[in-house]
Amino acid sequence: MSSAYLIGAQRRTGAASFTGIEAATGKALDGDFAITTADDIAQACALAGAAFDAYRETTPEARAAFLDAIAAALEARAEAIVARAMLESGLPQGRLNGELGRTTGQLRLFAKVLREGDWAGAIIEPALPERQPLPRPDLRARQIAVGPVAVFGASNFPLAFSVAGGDTASALAAGCPVVVKAHPAHPGTSLLAGEAIAEAVAACGLPEGVFSLIQGPGNDIGTALVANPHIKAVGFTGSRGGGLALIAVAASRLEPIPVYAEMSSINPVLLFPAALAARAEDLGRAYVGSLSLFAGQFCTNPGVVVALDSPDLDRFLGAASEALKGVAPQVMLTGGIAAAYARGIETLSGADGVAVLAAGPDGDAQCGAARLLAVDADDLLSNPALTHEVFGPSSLVIRCKDAEQIVAVLEGLEGQLTATLHIDEADYPLAAPLLPILERKVGRILANGWPTGVEVSRSMVHGGPFPATSDPRTTSVGAMAIHRFLRPVCYQALPDALLPDALKAGNPLGLPRRQFD
Amino acid sequence: MSSAYLIGAQRRTGAASFTGIEAATGKALDGDFAITTADDIAQACALAGAAFDAYRETTPEARAAFLDAIAAALEARAEAIVARAMLESGLPQGRLNGELGRTTGQLRLFAKVLREGDWAGAIIEPALPERQPLPRPDLRARQIAVGPVAVFGASNFPLAFSVAGGDTASALAAGCPVVVKAHPAHPGTSLLAGEAIAEAVAACGLPEGVFSLIQGPGNDIGTALVANPHIKAVGFTGSRGGGLALIAVAASRLEPIPVYAEMSSINPVLLFPAALAARAEDLGRAYVGSLSLFAGQFCTNPGVVVALDSPDLDRFLGAASEALKGVAPQVMLTGGIAAAYARGIETLSGADGVAVLAAGPDGDAQCGAARLLAVDADDLLSNPALTHEVFGPSSLVIRCKDAEQIVAVLEGLEGQLTATLHIDEADYPLAAPLLPILERKVGRILANGWPTGVEVSRSMVHGGPFPATSDPRTTSVGAMAIHRFLRPVCYQALPDALLPDALKAGNPLGLPRRQFD
């Protein structure tokens, strides 16, 4: 019998099923998973809609305790989750243990944010009955949850950007019920995480519709989910094509809704002359470490390097080439991703002016072999397709003739998640005029590090202009993500008895509130 | 010779021109206005793009002084602006004097918000080099302007939602250059306001591209403006059709951009039994005052009343009918709006179950005559088209059999800007369960008043779910509007010399900053 999907508190199965695939072999794993039926998708959404008013008005403390309970329930299943995720994703145990810690850390960060209360945006403007020429009525505002949210699990973070990942944590924190569409590459991992959430829903006495998990391959399930009128926002991390398809569904609804899609980024790294002169070889080796980390399957993978052509750049490239030749082929997340990577490398390698500087050893069809490529800025500027994302352990070095050409390359880039500067003090005059360009292009600018570590914190911005994301006004990592799922409501001259607790005279929730007299 | 439009600091004219129309007569006013050419639209956007990096990094004080200077320049032209607006809009002098005060008040509110500095969202997380298992880098975030903004003047507020209105004020405050497309019904008013802004740009020594004003009838100019790649966000107040057309243009760009469109709202008013019993006649008269104010041409016009059928409701309707018969026909904003109102009333009056309770005296073709209509909830629920907005001095009373039917009517409504409750203490038990529904449907809930007054303040929400607006996460009136035109950027381990002033160690701008250790 197939493993069931989760519609509120119920375990359901449909007539059809699918299996997990072992990333390392491409072979079906034991056990199969029921594919959610159209009726059950509708039922999950209806339950979410029915749960919404009650769930969004639970106290911040109640939702914080719920998030803490999810974290604990995940930890109780840690061994099983990591073991299954290793099979389904091909990622190693250490990485998945770390990712589970990141996932529970995210949940607990949002619990902390809820307890602090700034998220509620409570503002009070008392009545001014004597004001001339007109009195001011009592006016108060707060942020409320937008409604049930659809979350799509990502392929490359089977835990932290998946069933109990950042989108789910921030939506649940905001007061939104969540319906997760599991990524079809990790049905078993997803079900284990989903059961942890369902257990926390029951333990905390919340309405069952607060969480459902739907499963299945293909696009129809996701389309039906986003089209359902109960759903009021969407969180997605994945390909540009996938994101744009969901955005089109959301925009064509009778009531269009926002889609927070994180899609495509090549994360330029800028190498400045003094930094290169001081440590070209160290930078070259560290660069290869970042670009090949977990087969380069990060949204923040350093896909392009921009630098002035120079002997120091050659030193950097020499060290990077040497290091890259030693990068063993790594199992990629899915056979589809491995095949797309191979095609992307083939296209890029064959483009005019692109040279393959170094190649890691090839593995079998499930694996990605590292590649280091280079191109002159002149050739790149005449062929913008060279800056399209190739998801995997490769990177393209762009040699520029002068500072003007660096500006042209940067201005030609689409929106990005990150930009990285390797700089010494002597480089500041060259770097300073580039910062305004980078601010327009990216969500995070970092110095003397690598973009592949994304801190989960208060000031993190994992976002950026299109196509890095569909909405640069937000982030999908860090505390600010809660604002994606909130909207303001104003209350004018409402009697205290009818005001929400967040705005009552006695401040029963103890929220921080801004008052303007 | 035609009056010129404003492309940065230049006055330009094209080959074609159009004239203003006197609202009261439908006849052409003296003087004609050049229609902006496609080349000049592109030039306005290019200048805005060129001005962006410099303008967004002016100090908050510099932008505040600029907004104050615009307010002063408007006041210096007050007499001419109001005189021309009276002709072009048909609105009376007192209303336009008040609206000019609202407009300068908005500009000065955003100047105050800029000086306070919370808008900058400055967050600092110092490095934690000893943290286990990994150190934390120094992380800082701030909000930056999204880019040049296109603003469309509204027909019904020729000053406060127009060239120097709320959208322009909030975008300029955020640090966004603005290209305004004047509403074709008020070219002269728009040019006077545009000249005030251009004067302030020059007086404050800002780049000329910070402001341009383009003019002309038809849709091509607005389409070209929204499609221009320099434009990064759009502010619009107008019809549902107009808003949806701009949203479609924005979504089909290579880089899609947000459109903040305020479109369509019928602003339900709920009358509760105890309030009706206590003051049915007073409420009836006040209702007619609100629905017919300035020919009902407000986004917050009370288009539907929802109440339990009762003898007290009949008292309310009797007083309202009596008052409505005395409402003189009023000149509408344009001939097109007057004709659309007449068609809307005809359609609504002829629908099954709809009764015309009272009619104000008819005027000529430029005028709207007040209408009071009623329908049983049963009929309304079987014909949702009855809740489509009819822009003008009319309102529809929905008689409900019981509390359940009130719930059904409210749940059937689309998104709204406002909901109004007329309640006494005895009504609270009946009202309380309706509040969650209203919170889901509207941006502002008010008690014992009328929705047509919209305070410009910190907690105001002039927004709401679709189709009231295209983005319920924001407001177009009040201090929170600045957030529509901002996006977060994170800076990781950047040396102090390269950090923006908002985040430098010494806090040279004196901004409020949140620190998390």
Side-chain angles (χ1 to χ4, degrees):
Chain A
M1 187 173 142
S2 307
S3 294
Y5 46 85
L6 312 179
I7 305 299
Q10 295 184 47
R11 274 68 185 148
R12 296 271 189 89
T13 51
S17 66
F18 71 120
T19 64
I21 303 289
E22 188 174 24
T25 62
K27 291 183 179 149
L29 288 162
D30 282 347
D32 61 353
F33 296 85
I35 296 173
T36 307
T37 63
D39 281 354
D40 282 342
I41 297 168
Q43 173 75 1
C45 297
L47 283 172
F52 177 51
D53 284 342
Y55 180 62
R56 70 181 164 93
E57 294 305 321
T58 53
T59 63
E61 174 54 39
R63 292 204 298 288
F66 173 44
L67 297 178
D68 286 341
I70 296 172
L74 289 170
E75 283 165 350
R77 290 163 173 79
E79 211 174 320
I81 289 173
V82 168
R84 180 74 192 188
M86 287 171 67
L87 293 173
E88 291 182 336
S89 71
L91 294 168
Q93 186 172 26
R95 146 74 192 264
L96 290 165
N97 280 332
E99 192 179 326
L100 187 64
R102 180 185 185 87
T103 307
T104 56
Q106 287 180 151
L107 289 157
R108 291 183 175 123
L109 173 65
F110 282 110
K112 201 170 170 192
V113 166
L114 280 173
R115 290 182 172 115
E116 290 166 355
D118 289 317
W119 64 273
I123 304 175
I124 297 183
E125 299 183 285
L128 301 175
E130 311 298 329
R131 193 184 63 173
Q132 293 300 330
L134 286 171
R136 179 174 82 182
D138 182 277
L139 289 164
R140 292 158 194 254
R142 66 161 178 158
Q143 299 284 331
I144 74 166
V146 294
V149 170
V151 171
F152 288 78
S155 65
N156 61 339
F157 279 84
L159 307 176
F161 287 75
S162 187
V163 178
D167 286 348
T168 298
S170 52
L172 290 176
C176 301
V178 169
V179 180
V180 174
K181 160 73 171 67
H183 195 281
H186 356 102
T189 310
S190 296
L191 187 55
L192 287 164
E195 282 168 349
I197 300 177
E199 180 184 289
V201 170
C204 295
L206 296 171
E208 60 168 330
V210 166
F211 177 76
S212 290
L213 175 69
I214 65 179
Q215 296 253 33
N219 299 330
D220 292 354
I221 293 174
T223 300
L225 176 59
V226 173
N228 188 286
H230 289 290
I231 298 297
K232 301 298 182 190
V234 179
F236 170 87
T237 301
S239 69
R240 188 164 173 169
L244 293 179
L246 293 182
I247 289 166
V249 173
S252 67
R253 292 166 43 122
L254 214 57
E255 179 193 6
I257 56 173
V259 176
Y260 299 103
E262 189 211 309
M263 296 179 288
S264 167
S265 187
I266 55 169
N267 304 295
V269 174
L270 283 73
L271 304 176
F272 288 86
L276 265 186
R279 50 184 179 279
E281 288 80 7
D282 286 350
L283 287 173
R285 286 185 288 268
Y287 165 52
V288 170
S290 178
L291 78 87
S292 66
L293 189 68
F294 303 122
Q297 299 166 118
F298 284 107
C299 314
T300 52
N301 196 50
V304 294
V305 167
V306 183
L308 293 174
D309 205 1
S310 74
D312 289 330
L313 180 63
D314 293 333
R315 285 169 53 211
F316 169 89
L317 294 174
S321 297
E322 203 53 45
L324 191 114
K325 287 175 197 158
V327 173
Q330 294 170 80
V331 171
M332 296 196 77
L333 294 158
T334 70
I337 287 173
Y341 174 66
R343 281 196 307 274
I345 288 296
E346 194 183 329
T347 304
L348 197 53
S349 307
D352 280 353
V354 174
V356 179
L357 298 188
D362 284 331
D364 63 26
Q366 303 301 120
C367 288
R371 287 288 187 285
L372 179 61
L373 307 105
V375 66
D376 286 345
D378 286 329
D379 292 311
L380 182 102
L381 290 168
S382 64
N383 185 7
L386 297 182
T387 61
H388 288 176
E389 185 181 36
V390 177
F391 191 72
S394 76
S395 191
L396 176 67
V397 177
I398 304 167
R399 296 182 209 256
C400 299
K401 283 186 298 205
D402 50 29
E404 214 172 303
Q405 209 165 40
I406 293 178
V407 168
V409 167
L410 295 180
E411 289 283 12
L413 290 178
E414 295 183 300
Q416 306 291 336
L417 293 171
T418 70
T420 300
L421 315 174
H422 283 282
I423 39 174
D424 275 358
E425 201 165 338
D427 297 315
Y428 295 176
L430 191 57
L434 303 180
L435 282 165
I437 305 175
L438 297 179
E439 287 176 328
R440 275 190 272 114
K441 296 282 177 180
V442 316
R444 177 167 57 113
I445 300 172
L446 64 146
N448 297 326
W450 298 96
T452 31
V454 182
E455 180 81 17
V456 179
S457 74
R458 309 300 183 126
S459 59
M460 178 49 58
V461 179
H462 191 65
F466 186 89
T469 79
S470 56
D471 191 339
R473 294 163 296 176
T474 67
T475 174
S476 68
V477 174
M480 285 190 266
I482 193 171
H483 296 293
R484 297 179 299 166
F485 302 117
L486 293 168
R487 49 174 275 261
V489 175
C490 177
Y491 303 82
Q492 178 177 323
L494 230 66
D496 203 60
L498 294 180
L499 279 171
D501 284 352
L503 297 174
K504 277 191 203 306
N507 195 10
L509 297 176
L511 290 173
R513 313 200 292 191
R514 290 196 303 151
Q515 180 155 335
F516 294 91
D517 293 317
Chain B
M1 188 175 142
S2 308
S3 293
Y5 46 84
L6 313 179
I7 305 300
Q10 296 183 44
R11 274 65 186 150
R12 294 271 189 89
T13 52
S17 67
F18 71 119
T19 63
I21 303 288
E22 187 174 25
T25 62
K27 292 184 181 147
L29 288 162
D30 282 347
D32 61 352
F33 296 85
I35 297 173
T36 307
T37 63
D39 280 355
D40 282 342
I41 298 168
Q43 173 76 359
C45 296
L47 284 173
F52 176 52
D53 284 342
Y55 180 63
R56 69 180 164 92
E57 294 305 321
T58 53
T59 63
E61 174 55 38
R63 293 204 297 288
F66 172 44
L67 296 177
D68 286 340
I70 297 172
L74 289 169
E75 283 165 349
R77 291 163 173 77
E79 210 174 320
I81 289 173
V82 168
R84 180 74 193 190
M86 287 171 67
L87 293 173
E88 290 182 337
S89 72
L91 294 168
Q93 186 172 26
R95 148 74 191 265
L96 289 166
N97 279 332
E99 192 180 325
L100 187 64
R102 180 186 185 86
T103 307
T104 56
Q106 287 180 149
L107 289 157
R108 291 183 173 123
L109 173 65
F110 283 109
K112 200 170 172 191
V113 166
L114 280 173
R115 290 183 172 114
E116 291 166 355
D118 289 317
W119 63 274
I123 304 175
I124 296 183
E125 300 183 284
L128 300 174
E130 312 297 329
R131 193 184 63 174
Q132 293 300 330
L134 286 172
R136 180 174 83 182
D138 182 277
L139 289 164
R140 292 159 194 252
R142 66 162 179 159
Q143 299 283 332
I144 74 166
V146 294
V149 170
V151 170
F152 287 78
S155 65
N156 60 340
F157 279 84
L159 306 176
F161 285 76
S162 188
V163 178
D167 286 348
T168 298
S170 54
L172 290 176
C176 300
V178 169
V179 180
V180 174
K181 160 73 170 69
H183 194 283
H186 357 101
T189 310
S190 296
L191 186 55
L192 287 164
E195 282 168 349
I197 300 178
E199 180 183 290
V201 170
C204 296
L206 296 170
E208 60 167 328
V210 166
F211 177 76
S212 291
L213 174 70
I214 65 180
Q215 295 254 33
N219 299 329
D220 291 353
I221 293 174
T223 299
L225 176 60
V226 173
N228 188 286
H230 289 290
I231 298 297
K232 301 299 182 190
V234 180
F236 170 86
T237 301
S239 70
R240 187 165 176 167
L244 292 178
L246 293 182
I247 289 166
V249 173
S252 67
R253 291 165 45 121
L254 215 56
E255 178 192 6
I257 55 173
V259 177
Y260 300 104
E262 190 211 310
M263 296 179 287
S264 166
S265 186
I266 55 169
N267 303 297
V269 174
L270 283 74
L271 304 175
F272 287 86
L276 266 186
R279 52 184 179 280
E281 289 81 6
D282 285 350
L283 287 173
R285 285 185 289 267
Y287 165 52
V288 170
S290 178
L291 79 87
S292 67
L293 189 66
F294 302 121
Q297 299 167 120
F298 284 107
C299 314
T300 52
N301 195 50
V304 295
V305 167
V306 183
L308 293 174
D309 206 1
S310 75
D312 289 330
L313 180 62
D314 292 334
R315 285 169 52 210
F316 169 89
L317 294 174
S321 298
E322 204 53 45
L324 191 114
K325 286 174 198 157
V327 173
Q330 293 169 81
V331 171
M332 297 194 77
L333 293 158
T334 69
I337 287 174
Y341 175 66
R343 284 195 307 273
I345 288 296
E346 194 183 329
T347 304
L348 196 54
S349 306
D352 280 354
V354 173
V356 178
L357 299 188
D362 285 329
D364 62 26
Q366 304 300 120
C367 288
R371 287 287 188 286
L372 179 62
L373 307 106
V375 67
D376 286 345
D378 286 330
D379 292 310
L380 182 102
L381 290 168
S382 64
N383 184 6
L386 298 182
T387 61
H388 289 178
E389 184 181 36
V390 177
F391 191 72
S394 75
S395 189
L396 175 68
V397 176
I398 304 167
R399 296 180 209 256
C400 299
K401 283 185 299 205
D402 50 30
E404 214 171 303
Q405 210 166 39
I406 293 178
V407 168
V409 168
L410 295 180
E411 288 284 11
L413 290 179
E414 295 183 299
Q416 306 291 335
L417 293 171
T418 70
T420 300
L421 314 173
H422 283 282
I423 39 174
D424 275 358
E425 202 165 338
D427 296 315
Y428 295 176
L430 192 56
L434 303 180
L435 281 165
I437 306 174
L438 297 179
E439 287 177 327
R440 275 191 273 113
K441 296 283 178 179
V442 317
R444 178 167 58 114
I445 301 172
L446 64 148
N448 296 327
W450 298 95
T452 31
V454 181
E455 180 81 16
V456 179
S457 75
R458 310 300 184 127
S459 59
M460 178 49 60
V461 179
H462 190 65
F466 186 91
T469 79
S470 56
D471 191 338
R473 296 163 296 175
T474 68
T475 174
S476 67
V477 174
M480 286 190 266
I482 194 171
H483 295 293
R484 297 179 299 165
F485 301 117
L486 293 168
R487 48 174 276 262
V489 175
C490 177
Y491 302 82
Q492 178 176 324
L494 229 65
D496 203 60
L498 294 180
L499 280 171
D501 285 351
L503 298 173
K504 277 192 204 305
N507 195 11
L509 298 176
L511 290 172
R513 314 200 290 192
R514 292 195 303 151
Q515 179 154 336
F516 294 92
D517 293 316

